Amino acid sequence: MLLASVTVDRAFVVGPVRRRTFGSFVEHLGRCVYTGLHDPGHPTADADGFRGDVVELVRELGVSIVRYPGGNFVSGYRWEDGIGPRPQRPARLDLAWHSTEPNTVGVDEFVRWARKAGVEPMMAVNLGTRGIQEALDLLEYCNIRGGTAWSDRRRANGAEEPHGIRMWCLGNEMDGPWQTGHKTAHEYGRLAAETARAMRQIQPDLELIVCGSSGSGMPTFGEWERVVLSETYDVVDLVSAHAYYCEEDGDLASFLASAVDMDHFIDSVVATADAVRAARKATRRIHLSFDEWNVWYVDRAESRPPTGDDWPVAPVLLEDRYNVADAVVVGSLLISLLRHTDRVHAASLAQLVNVIAPIMTEPGGRSWRQTTFHPFALTARHAAGEVLRAAIDAPVHDTTRFGPVPAVDAVATYEPSAGGLVLFAVNRSVSEPVALTLHPRGFRSLRVVEALTLSDPDHTRSATADDPTPVLPHPNPSAAADDDGVRITLPPVSWTVLRLQAA
Ligand code: AHR
């Protein structure tokens, strides 16, 4: 048994818990939209063809904001194809995923779905094959009340009220050579700046996100952010970050420590943004939108798009099945995002349904929660109020990818009006349980309200339609509070939420 402690102090506040930390992402990719969100033949489908069972699961997941429509897809997308009467919408080749896009779902349907699911829509514009004018047209279509060509088209298409979309991504992963219309940092920075300036002429209070790096391992990482932010600093609000992690070559210890990379990624982008700020003598700060993050087994066969003459509609793509170790990593990445709440102002779990997703569906059939659903839903539900800095004292073990890593990672939130202190913690040891003591400072004596732990001695099992609950968060009976602190035992490879209130 390893021994560890976490100290939190009511006075050491990082910043507010932001609801937008619990965002997600819907791309026209594989079965995310078609047979995921949209399945007109499904018994629970509404008049628009959206599955009611999926809407219920999205609500249960606690998602706040959803980025749309891509992803790599957006860099070849003509948004006008997806509006107006369906029989007149063209089918198009989707180069990003070697698929056929039927355009049955477009911006109006997505916004209707978002309202139904109770999430804020977040829109990306195509800066790959398109540019300023098409971004302006889409913004006019979405957000102008009426009296112009595009806004009247929206009204004629049945959306009398403007969609009122506030957050906009200026393209997607433009640093990646795989991106249609990939650009250098200088080329993209100029285009993003001019697009942002023009969009603000329509609506000054938009929240605009410029593309940062598609991974901390990109050769241009750092320099990309410096150049792009130097071009765009005065006209954007946030810079994006994307990161996917997976277990490689059976190296579970490194995989469990993936949040070390996310911490480093965030700290590096913050440092670069602040260096640009200092050089420009600016006062305003640029914040981060971590608008793609997850576990993704990118090299597995199911991540490879079709080839040749085969351009299917909604093929099975990126349908990763997640085990408990994957869920523990998802929980630990949420800990990292919350820890940086002063600078990470939005984040999107990529993606929402079927495609590297917490929610899975059968076409016309069942839907179920993957293991990764649980840490996300529980964190979204219980993180509230303010994020408190957690000082961690834990044994360190070596990992191949990230060097020495403490066995425990944790963050706490405190909601003063309800009096609730919540600790989110992971045990990243592959073999040893941890006896953890929480030292809460500046609180009256506390009692344990609930302790839930996600762990599985056989941490390879996944949920399936036939067996949707092989592993669920379970009450952790070891949690106990007294005047010296709160004690709990964390099994190896586990994620825990511990809820405390004034005794
Ligand atoms: O989420 C899957 C893909 O990952 C997205 O389309 C792209 O932006 C990223 O590379």
Side-chain angles (χ1 to χ4, degrees):
M1 179 89 76
L2 305 174
L3 298 180
S5 71
V6 174
T7 304
V8 296
D9 190 307
R10 224 184 124 160
F12 295 168
V13 174
V14 184
V17 175
R18 299 175 196 280
R19 293 331 301 174
R20 280 178 174 168
T21 303
F22 306 108
S24 188
F25 175 33
V26 163
E27 177 167 3
H28 285 249
L29 193 184
R31 299 194 310 112
C32 184
V33 173
Y34 305 113
T35 72
L37 262 49
H38 188 261
D39 196 354
H42 193 270
T44 68
D46 65 10
D48 286 319
F50 287 116
R51 290 177 65 141
D53 60 339
V54 171
V55 166
E56 283 309 307
L57 285 171
V58 170
R59 285 181 173 276
E60 183 186 324
L61 188 60
V63 170
S64 54
I65 184 166
V66 175
R67 181 171 176 252
Y68 174 86
N72 297 340
F73 170 80
V74 80
S75 295
Y77 182 49
R78 288 178 259 206
W79 68 269
E80 308 89 324
D81 291 345
I83 61 169
R86 279 186 172 143
Q88 286 154 37
R89 297 186 191 179
R92 300 272 190 199
L93 295 180
D94 162 18
L95 302 187
W97 302 107
H98 206 276
S99 307
T100 296
E101 171 53 50
N103 283 305
T104 314
V105 171
V107 58
D108 292 324
E109 287 85 13
F110 174 70
V111 170
R112 279 208 291 282
W113 175 84
R115 303 288 177 234
K116 195 173 298 242
V119 303
E120 179 185 354
M122 170 180 176
M123 191 63 59
V125 301
N126 173 357
L127 291 187
T129 60
R130 307 187 106 189
I132 304 171
Q133 187 58 59
E134 294 87 351
L136 293 178
D137 293 345
L138 177 58
L139 177 58
E140 180 187 321
Y141 183 87
C142 289
N143 284 11
I144 294 294
R145 181 160 291 283
T148 66
W150 283 116
S151 58
D152 286 342
R153 282 275 289 279
R154 184 200 68 242
R155 294 170 65 201
N157 289 337
E160 183 60 33
E161 290 300 310
H163 293 329
I165 300 171
R166 292 212 25 140
M167 280 195 109
W168 292 74
C169 304
L170 301 165
N172 176 70
E173 292 189 350
M174 299 310 300
D175 63 322
W178 58 85
Q179 202 69 211
T180 310
H182 163 59
K183 293 171 176 51
T184 66
H186 286 283
E187 290 165 348
Y188 170 67
R190 291 286 304 125
L191 177 59
E194 293 311 321
T195 306
R197 226 182 302 282
M199 289 176 78
R200 287 200 191 284
Q201 286 181 285
I202 294 181
Q203 189 175 339
D205 66 351
L206 295 175
E207 294 172 72
L208 297 179
I209 306 161
V210 72
C211 290
S213 292
S214 48
S216 64
M218 294 296 288
T220 49
F221 177 55
E223 183 62 0
W224 174 274
E225 279 78 1
R226 189 191 69 74
V227 172
V228 166
L229 286 174
S230 298
E231 294 286 357
T232 59
Y233 201 93
D234 297 334
V235 287
V236 301
D237 304 286
L238 302 111
V239 58
S240 73
H242 293 180
Y244 293 100
Y245 302 97
C246 65
E247 185 178 340
E248 289 170 23
D249 305 322
D251 183 2
L252 180 58
S254 294
F255 176 48
L256 291 170
S258 298
V260 170
D261 178 75
M262 185 180 256
D263 287 341
H264 160 76
F265 196 158
I266 295 169
D267 294 342
S268 304
V269 176
V270 165
T272 308
D274 286 351
V276 176
R277 171 176 177 259
R280 298 173 68 86
K281 302 176 184 61
T283 47
R284 211 169 54 95
R285 284 187 199 279
I286 299 290
H287 298 287
L288 266 77
S289 170
F290 217 116
D291 47 40
E292 284 187 37
W293 67 271
N294 205 346
V295 172
W296 176 11
Y297 289 86
V298 70
D299 290 330
R300 285 190 187 158
E302 61 265 30
S303 286
R304 273 179 233 128
T307 52
D309 293 338
D310 189 19
W311 296 84
V313 175
V316 172
L317 271 175
L318 283 65
E319 297 202 8
D320 288 13
R321 301 300 158 110
Y322 293 122
N323 60 32
V324 158
D326 300 321
V328 170
V329 170
V330 163
S332 75
L333 296 173
L334 279 164
I335 288 172
S336 171
L337 292 168
L338 282 172
R339 174 166 44 237
H340 291 96
T341 193
D342 53 335
R343 299 306 293 270
V344 176
H345 283 203
S348 298
L349 176 72
Q351 298 192 5
L352 186 57
V353 185
N354 289 331
V355 171
I356 43 173
I359 299 169
M360 298 299 293
T361 69
E362 289 175 330
R366 297 170 289 183
S367 54
W368 67 99
R369 303 162 188 79
Q370 295 234 56
T371 56
T372 53
F373 186 100
H374 305 295
F376 190 100
L378 287 166
T379 308
R381 189 175 319 148
H382 295 305
E386 291 165 330
V387 178
L388 303 182
R389 196 171 74 75
I392 299 163
D393 186 5
V396 166
H397 56 259
D398 273 322
T399 65
T400 312
R401 267 150 72 190
F402 304 114
V405 168
V408 171
D409 198 10
V411 72
T413 66
Y414 178 56
E415 218 291 283
S417 56
L421 174 66
V422 183
L423 183 78
F424 302 93
V426 284
N427 177 359
R428 308 190 278 203
S429 166
V430 297
S431 55
E432 295 294 319
V434 170
L436 180 73
T437 306
L438 170 66
H439 300 291
R441 290 199 195 142
F443 296 88
R444 284 188 293 137
S445 62
L446 295 164
R447 68 182 172 84
V448 174
V449 177
E450 185 181 43
L452 291 173
T453 291
L454 189 62
S455 67
D456 183 12
D458 167 13
H459 44 250
T460 59
R461 292 186 297 168
S462 303
T464 63
D466 290 331
D467 185 10
T469 56
V471 263
L472 292 176
H474 50 270
N476 186 326
S478 69
D482 61 27
D483 289 346
D484 295 330
V486 186
R487 275 172 300 284
I488 185 167
T489 302
L490 310 178
V493 194
S494 66
W495 174 90
T496 293
V497 53
L498 172 62
R499 295 169 53 217
L500 304 154
Q501 278 202 328

PDB file of all heavy atoms in Angstrom, residues 25 27 29 67 70-73 97 172-173 178-179 214 242 244 292 296 318 350-351 355-356, ligand 1:
ATOM      1  N   PHE A  25     -18.031  17.487 -28.927  1.00  0.00           N
ATOM      2  CA  PHE A  25     -17.707  17.762 -30.326  1.00  0.00           C
ATOM      3  C   PHE A  25     -18.501  16.804 -31.214  1.00  0.00           C
ATOM      4  O   PHE A  25     -18.504  15.588 -30.958  1.00  0.00           O
ATOM      5  CB  PHE A  25     -16.192  17.555 -30.475  1.00  0.00           C
ATOM      6  CG  PHE A  25     -15.621  17.666 -31.849  1.00  0.00           C
ATOM      7  CD1 PHE A  25     -16.137  18.523 -32.803  1.00  0.00           C
ATOM      8  CD2 PHE A  25     -14.518  16.893 -32.197  1.00  0.00           C
ATOM      9  CE1 PHE A  25     -15.587  18.613 -34.068  1.00  0.00           C
ATOM     10  CE2 PHE A  25     -13.942  16.978 -33.443  1.00  0.00           C
ATOM     11  CZ  PHE A  25     -14.489  17.837 -34.390  1.00  0.00           C
ATOM     12  N   GLU A  27     -18.777  15.884 -35.223  1.00  0.00           N
ATOM     13  CA  GLU A  27     -18.230  16.084 -36.567  1.00  0.00           C
ATOM     14  C   GLU A  27     -19.011  15.212 -37.549  1.00  0.00           C
ATOM     15  O   GLU A  27     -19.479  14.112 -37.196  1.00  0.00           O
ATOM     16  CB  GLU A  27     -16.743  15.691 -36.586  1.00  0.00           C
ATOM     17  CG  GLU A  27     -16.118  15.794 -37.978  1.00  0.00           C
ATOM     18  CD  GLU A  27     -14.591  15.716 -37.971  1.00  0.00           C
ATOM     19  OE1 GLU A  27     -13.997  15.519 -36.891  1.00  0.00           O
ATOM     20  OE2 GLU A  27     -14.005  15.865 -39.060  1.00  0.00           O
ATOM     21  N   LEU A  29     -18.497  12.748 -39.395  1.00  0.00           N
ATOM     22  CA  LEU A  29     -17.430  11.743 -39.463  1.00  0.00           C
ATOM     23  C   LEU A  29     -18.039  10.413 -39.060  1.00  0.00           C
ATOM     24  O   LEU A  29     -18.661  10.323 -37.985  1.00  0.00           O
ATOM     25  CB  LEU A  29     -16.310  12.126 -38.486  1.00  0.00           C
ATOM     26  CG  LEU A  29     -14.953  11.459 -38.518  1.00  0.00           C
ATOM     27  CD1 LEU A  29     -14.070  11.962 -37.391  1.00  0.00           C
ATOM     28  CD2 LEU A  29     -14.931   9.968 -38.578  1.00  0.00           C
ATOM     29  N   ARG A  67     -19.092  21.603 -30.217  1.00  0.00           N
ATOM     30  CA  ARG A  67     -18.416  22.129 -31.411  1.00  0.00           C
ATOM     31  C   ARG A  67     -18.900  21.359 -32.644  1.00  0.00           C
ATOM     32  O   ARG A  67     -19.081  20.149 -32.595  1.00  0.00           O
ATOM     33  CB  ARG A  67     -16.917  21.940 -31.201  1.00  0.00           C
ATOM     34  CG  ARG A  67     -16.005  22.421 -32.293  1.00  0.00           C
ATOM     35  CD  ARG A  67     -14.573  22.342 -31.777  1.00  0.00           C
ATOM     36  NE  ARG A  67     -13.607  22.697 -32.785  1.00  0.00           N
ATOM     37  CZ  ARG A  67     -12.790  21.839 -33.388  1.00  0.00           C
ATOM     38  NH1 ARG A  67     -12.838  20.534 -33.072  1.00  0.00           N
ATOM     39  NH2 ARG A  67     -11.939  22.246 -34.293  1.00  0.00           N
ATOM     40  N   GLY A  70     -16.870  20.150 -37.639  1.00  0.00           N
ATOM     41  CA  GLY A  70     -15.576  19.456 -37.682  1.00  0.00           C
ATOM     42  C   GLY A  70     -14.567  20.351 -37.031  1.00  0.00           C
ATOM     43  O   GLY A  70     -14.904  21.491 -36.672  1.00  0.00           O
ATOM     44  N   GLY A  71     -13.401  19.788 -36.839  1.00  0.00           N
ATOM     45  CA  GLY A  71     -12.803  18.624 -37.355  1.00  0.00           C
ATOM     46  C   GLY A  71     -12.304  18.808 -38.805  1.00  0.00           C
ATOM     47  O   GLY A  71     -12.515  19.810 -39.465  1.00  0.00           O
ATOM     48  N   ASN A  72     -11.569  17.774 -39.217  1.00  0.00           N
ATOM     49  CA  ASN A  72     -10.999  17.775 -40.563  1.00  0.00           C
ATOM     50  C   ASN A  72     -12.086  17.980 -41.621  1.00  0.00           C
ATOM     51  O   ASN A  72     -11.827  18.544 -42.684  1.00  0.00           O
ATOM     52  CB  ASN A  72     -10.272  16.453 -40.814  1.00  0.00           C
ATOM     53  CG  ASN A  72      -9.087  16.246 -39.877  1.00  0.00           C
ATOM     54  OD1 ASN A  72      -8.568  17.199 -39.295  1.00  0.00           O
ATOM     55  ND2 ASN A  72      -8.649  15.011 -39.724  1.00  0.00           N
ATOM     56  N   PHE A  73     -13.298  17.508 -41.328  1.00  0.00           N
ATOM     57  CA  PHE A  73     -14.401  17.631 -42.285  1.00  0.00           C
ATOM     58  C   PHE A  73     -14.644  19.090 -42.675  1.00  0.00           C
ATOM     59  O   PHE A  73     -14.925  19.394 -43.839  1.00  0.00           O
ATOM     60  CB  PHE A  73     -15.674  17.036 -41.654  1.00  0.00           C
ATOM     61  CG  PHE A  73     -16.933  17.310 -42.431  1.00  0.00           C
ATOM     62  CD1 PHE A  73     -17.264  16.553 -43.550  1.00  0.00           C
ATOM     63  CD2 PHE A  73     -17.792  18.340 -42.046  1.00  0.00           C
ATOM     64  CE1 PHE A  73     -18.428  16.805 -44.270  1.00  0.00           C
ATOM     65  CE2 PHE A  73     -18.954  18.601 -42.758  1.00  0.00           C
ATOM     66  CZ  PHE A  73     -19.269  17.840 -43.871  1.00  0.00           C
ATOM     67  N   TRP A  97     -12.498  12.209 -44.757  1.00  0.00           N
ATOM     68  CA  TRP A  97     -12.786  10.855 -44.253  1.00  0.00           C
ATOM     69  C   TRP A  97     -13.179   9.910 -45.382  1.00  0.00           C
ATOM     70  O   TRP A  97     -13.744   8.850 -45.128  1.00  0.00           O
ATOM     71  CB  TRP A  97     -13.866  10.922 -43.162  1.00  0.00           C
ATOM     72  CG  TRP A  97     -13.399  11.808 -42.047  1.00  0.00           C
ATOM     73  CD1 TRP A  97     -13.841  13.066 -41.756  1.00  0.00           C
ATOM     74  CD2 TRP A  97     -12.340  11.532 -41.111  1.00  0.00           C
ATOM     75  NE1 TRP A  97     -13.147  13.594 -40.685  1.00  0.00           N
ATOM     76  CE2 TRP A  97     -12.220  12.669 -40.272  1.00  0.00           C
ATOM     77  CE3 TRP A  97     -11.501  10.442 -40.888  1.00  0.00           C
ATOM     78  CZ2 TRP A  97     -11.282  12.742 -39.239  1.00  0.00           C
ATOM     79  CZ3 TRP A  97     -10.569  10.516 -39.854  1.00  0.00           C
ATOM     80  CH2 TRP A  97     -10.466  11.647 -39.051  1.00  0.00           C
ATOM     81  N   ASN A 172      -9.785  24.590 -38.621  1.00  0.00           N
ATOM     82  CA  ASN A 172      -9.467  23.426 -37.791  1.00  0.00           C
ATOM     83  C   ASN A 172      -8.064  22.923 -38.099  1.00  0.00           C
ATOM     84  O   ASN A 172      -7.732  22.707 -39.283  1.00  0.00           O
ATOM     85  CB  ASN A 172     -10.458  22.285 -38.067  1.00  0.00           C
ATOM     86  CG  ASN A 172     -10.111  21.020 -37.291  1.00  0.00           C
ATOM     87  OD1 ASN A 172     -10.246  20.989 -36.068  1.00  0.00           O
ATOM     88  ND2 ASN A 172      -9.651  19.991 -37.989  1.00  0.00           N
ATOM     89  N   GLU A 173      -7.252  22.751 -37.094  1.00  0.00           N
ATOM     90  CA  GLU A 173      -5.928  22.107 -37.202  1.00  0.00           C
ATOM     91  C   GLU A 173      -5.180  22.512 -38.468  1.00  0.00           C
ATOM     92  O   GLU A 173      -4.707  21.655 -39.230  1.00  0.00           O
ATOM     93  CB  GLU A 173      -6.073  20.574 -37.137  1.00  0.00           C
ATOM     94  CG  GLU A 173      -6.526  20.091 -35.780  1.00  0.00           C
ATOM     95  CD  GLU A 173      -6.469  18.566 -35.590  1.00  0.00           C
ATOM     96  OE1 GLU A 173      -6.244  17.841 -36.570  1.00  0.00           O
ATOM     97  OE2 GLU A 173      -6.655  18.122 -34.448  1.00  0.00           O
ATOM     98  N   TRP A 178      -2.157  16.936 -42.926  1.00  0.00           N
ATOM     99  CA  TRP A 178      -3.323  16.144 -43.371  1.00  0.00           C
ATOM    100  C   TRP A 178      -4.532  17.030 -43.649  1.00  0.00           C
ATOM    101  O   TRP A 178      -5.504  16.573 -44.221  1.00  0.00           O
ATOM    102  CB  TRP A 178      -3.693  15.109 -42.303  1.00  0.00           C
ATOM    103  CG  TRP A 178      -4.011  15.754 -40.981  1.00  0.00           C
ATOM    104  CD1 TRP A 178      -5.218  16.278 -40.587  1.00  0.00           C
ATOM    105  CD2 TRP A 178      -3.106  15.986 -39.903  1.00  0.00           C
ATOM    106  NE1 TRP A 178      -5.115  16.812 -39.322  1.00  0.00           N
ATOM    107  CE2 TRP A 178      -3.832  16.635 -38.877  1.00  0.00           C
ATOM    108  CE3 TRP A 178      -1.758  15.686 -39.688  1.00  0.00           C
ATOM    109  CZ2 TRP A 178      -3.245  17.013 -37.667  1.00  0.00           C
ATOM    110  CZ3 TRP A 178      -1.174  16.061 -38.490  1.00  0.00           C
ATOM    111  CH2 TRP A 178      -1.916  16.706 -37.491  1.00  0.00           C
ATOM    112  N   GLN A 179      -4.457  18.273 -43.230  1.00  0.00           N
ATOM    113  CA  GLN A 179      -5.634  19.143 -43.332  1.00  0.00           C
ATOM    114  C   GLN A 179      -5.803  19.646 -44.762  1.00  0.00           C
ATOM    115  O   GLN A 179      -4.835  20.114 -45.363  1.00  0.00           O
ATOM    116  CB  GLN A 179      -5.467  20.348 -42.388  1.00  0.00           C
ATOM    117  CG  GLN A 179      -6.757  21.031 -42.002  1.00  0.00           C
ATOM    118  CD  GLN A 179      -7.604  20.159 -41.103  1.00  0.00           C
ATOM    119  OE1 GLN A 179      -8.817  20.233 -41.136  1.00  0.00           O
ATOM    120  NE2 GLN A 179      -6.968  19.301 -40.316  1.00  0.00           N
ATOM    121  N   SER A 214      -2.228  20.966 -33.276  1.00  0.00           N
ATOM    122  CA  SER A 214      -3.045  19.755 -33.206  1.00  0.00           C
ATOM    123  C   SER A 214      -2.369  18.681 -32.346  1.00  0.00           C
ATOM    124  O   SER A 214      -2.824  17.536 -32.342  1.00  0.00           O
ATOM    125  CB  SER A 214      -3.327  19.235 -34.605  1.00  0.00           C
ATOM    126  OG  SER A 214      -2.152  19.196 -35.351  1.00  0.00           O
ATOM    127  N   HIS A 242      -5.344  20.687 -29.181  1.00  0.00           N
ATOM    128  CA  HIS A 242      -5.914  19.352 -29.396  1.00  0.00           C
ATOM    129  C   HIS A 242      -4.930  18.294 -28.888  1.00  0.00           C
ATOM    130  O   HIS A 242      -3.723  18.417 -29.132  1.00  0.00           O
ATOM    131  CB  HIS A 242      -6.166  19.096 -30.889  1.00  0.00           C
ATOM    132  CG  HIS A 242      -7.244  19.951 -31.485  1.00  0.00           C
ATOM    133  ND1 HIS A 242      -7.612  19.880 -32.798  1.00  0.00           N
ATOM    134  CD2 HIS A 242      -8.063  20.887 -30.923  1.00  0.00           C
ATOM    135  CE1 HIS A 242      -8.598  20.731 -33.034  1.00  0.00           C
ATOM    136  NE2 HIS A 242      -8.880  21.363 -31.916  1.00  0.00           N
ATOM    137  N   TYR A 244      -4.726  13.837 -28.181  1.00  0.00           N
ATOM    138  CA  TYR A 244      -5.279  12.485 -28.045  1.00  0.00           C
ATOM    139  C   TYR A 244      -4.196  11.589 -27.462  1.00  0.00           C
ATOM    140  O   TYR A 244      -3.020  11.717 -27.820  1.00  0.00           O
ATOM    141  CB  TYR A 244      -5.714  11.953 -29.408  1.00  0.00           C
ATOM    142  CG  TYR A 244      -6.888  12.703 -30.009  1.00  0.00           C
ATOM    143  CD1 TYR A 244      -6.681  13.679 -30.984  1.00  0.00           C
ATOM    144  CD2 TYR A 244      -8.184  12.439 -29.596  1.00  0.00           C
ATOM    145  CE1 TYR A 244      -7.756  14.366 -31.538  1.00  0.00           C
ATOM    146  CE2 TYR A 244      -9.265  13.117 -30.138  1.00  0.00           C
ATOM    147  CZ  TYR A 244      -9.044  14.074 -31.114  1.00  0.00           C
ATOM    148  OH  TYR A 244     -10.113  14.758 -31.655  1.00  0.00           O
ATOM    149  N   GLU A 292     -10.403  19.730 -28.662  1.00  0.00           N
ATOM    150  CA  GLU A 292     -10.409  18.296 -28.967  1.00  0.00           C
ATOM    151  C   GLU A 292      -9.473  17.621 -27.975  1.00  0.00           C
ATOM    152  O   GLU A 292      -8.276  17.927 -27.940  1.00  0.00           O
ATOM    153  CB  GLU A 292      -9.924  18.000 -30.400  1.00  0.00           C
ATOM    154  CG  GLU A 292     -10.945  18.320 -31.472  1.00  0.00           C
ATOM    155  CD  GLU A 292     -10.525  17.866 -32.854  1.00  0.00           C
ATOM    156  OE1 GLU A 292      -9.905  16.782 -32.974  1.00  0.00           O
ATOM    157  OE2 GLU A 292     -10.813  18.591 -33.812  1.00  0.00           O
ATOM    158  N   TRP A 296      -7.677   8.081 -27.938  1.00  0.00           N
ATOM    159  CA  TRP A 296      -7.972   7.660 -29.323  1.00  0.00           C
ATOM    160  C   TRP A 296      -6.861   6.701 -29.776  1.00  0.00           C
ATOM    161  O   TRP A 296      -5.685   7.085 -29.798  1.00  0.00           O
ATOM    162  CB  TRP A 296      -8.032   8.890 -30.248  1.00  0.00           C
ATOM    163  CG  TRP A 296      -8.244   8.567 -31.711  1.00  0.00           C
ATOM    164  CD1 TRP A 296      -8.582   7.366 -32.263  1.00  0.00           C
ATOM    165  CD2 TRP A 296      -8.112   9.489 -32.815  1.00  0.00           C
ATOM    166  NE1 TRP A 296      -8.693   7.488 -33.631  1.00  0.00           N
ATOM    167  CE2 TRP A 296      -8.408   8.775 -34.003  1.00  0.00           C
ATOM    168  CE3 TRP A 296      -7.779  10.840 -32.915  1.00  0.00           C
ATOM    169  CZ2 TRP A 296      -8.372   9.374 -35.265  1.00  0.00           C
ATOM    170  CZ3 TRP A 296      -7.749  11.432 -34.169  1.00  0.00           C
ATOM    171  CH2 TRP A 296      -8.046  10.695 -35.325  1.00  0.00           C
ATOM    172  N   LEU A 318     -13.442   5.094 -36.395  1.00  0.00           N
ATOM    173  CA  LEU A 318     -12.999   5.573 -35.075  1.00  0.00           C
ATOM    174  C   LEU A 318     -13.935   5.124 -33.942  1.00  0.00           C
ATOM    175  O   LEU A 318     -14.153   5.853 -32.981  1.00  0.00           O
ATOM    176  CB  LEU A 318     -12.895   7.113 -35.050  1.00  0.00           C
ATOM    177  CG  LEU A 318     -11.706   7.806 -35.700  1.00  0.00           C
ATOM    178  CD1 LEU A 318     -11.668   7.607 -37.202  1.00  0.00           C
ATOM    179  CD2 LEU A 318     -11.733   9.306 -35.414  1.00  0.00           C
ATOM    180  N   ALA A 350     -13.691  14.985 -27.540  1.00  0.00           N
ATOM    181  CA  ALA A 350     -13.884  14.592 -28.938  1.00  0.00           C
ATOM    182  C   ALA A 350     -13.960  13.072 -29.007  1.00  0.00           C
ATOM    183  O   ALA A 350     -12.976  12.424 -28.661  1.00  0.00           O
ATOM    184  CB  ALA A 350     -12.745  15.112 -29.795  1.00  0.00           C
ATOM    185  N   GLN A 351     -15.112  12.538 -29.464  1.00  0.00           N
ATOM    186  CA  GLN A 351     -16.287  13.259 -29.887  1.00  0.00           C
ATOM    187  C   GLN A 351     -17.461  12.798 -29.015  1.00  0.00           C
ATOM    188  O   GLN A 351     -17.222  12.155 -28.000  1.00  0.00           O
ATOM    189  CB  GLN A 351     -16.527  13.002 -31.362  1.00  0.00           C
ATOM    190  CG  GLN A 351     -15.339  13.515 -32.213  1.00  0.00           C
ATOM    191  CD  GLN A 351     -15.601  13.562 -33.710  1.00  0.00           C
ATOM    192  OE1 GLN A 351     -16.677  13.313 -34.162  1.00  0.00           O
ATOM    193  NE2 GLN A 351     -14.549  13.891 -34.491  1.00  0.00           N
ATOM    194  N   VAL A 355     -18.099   8.026 -32.560  1.00  0.00           N
ATOM    195  CA  VAL A 355     -16.730   8.301 -33.009  1.00  0.00           C
ATOM    196  C   VAL A 355     -15.896   8.683 -31.790  1.00  0.00           C
ATOM    197  O   VAL A 355     -16.119   9.754 -31.200  1.00  0.00           O
ATOM    198  CB  VAL A 355     -16.746   9.440 -34.052  1.00  0.00           C
ATOM    199  CG1 VAL A 355     -15.335   9.896 -34.383  1.00  0.00           C
ATOM    200  CG2 VAL A 355     -17.481   8.983 -35.309  1.00  0.00           C
ATOM    201  N   ILE A 356     -14.980   7.777 -31.362  1.00  0.00           N
ATOM    202  CA  ILE A 356     -14.196   7.975 -30.129  1.00  0.00           C
ATOM    203  C   ILE A 356     -15.071   8.667 -29.069  1.00  0.00           C
ATOM    204  O   ILE A 356     -14.753   9.748 -28.582  1.00  0.00           O
ATOM    205  CB  ILE A 356     -12.867   8.732 -30.383  1.00  0.00           C
ATOM    206  CG1 ILE A 356     -13.031   9.922 -31.341  1.00  0.00           C
ATOM    207  CG2 ILE A 356     -11.788   7.797 -30.860  1.00  0.00           C
ATOM    208  CD1 ILE A 356     -11.753  10.784 -31.481  1.00  0.00           C
TER     209      ILE A 356
HETATM  210  O1  AHR B   1     -11.645  13.969 -33.838  1.00  0.00           O
HETATM  211  C1  AHR B   1     -11.110  13.310 -34.939  1.00  0.00           C
HETATM  212  C2  AHR B   1     -10.170  14.195 -35.747  1.00  0.00           C
HETATM  213  O2  AHR B   1      -9.044  14.473 -34.978  1.00  0.00           O
HETATM  214  C3  AHR B   1     -10.683  15.561 -36.132  1.00  0.00           C
HETATM  215  O3  AHR B   1     -11.416  15.547 -37.306  1.00  0.00           O
HETATM  216  C4  AHR B   1      -9.433  16.351 -36.310  1.00  0.00           C
HETATM  217  O4  AHR B   1      -9.605  17.714 -36.027  1.00  0.00           O
HETATM  218  C5  AHR B   1      -8.426  15.676 -35.400  1.00  0.00           C
HETATM  219  O5  AHR B   1      -7.240  15.384 -36.040  1.00  0.00           O
END
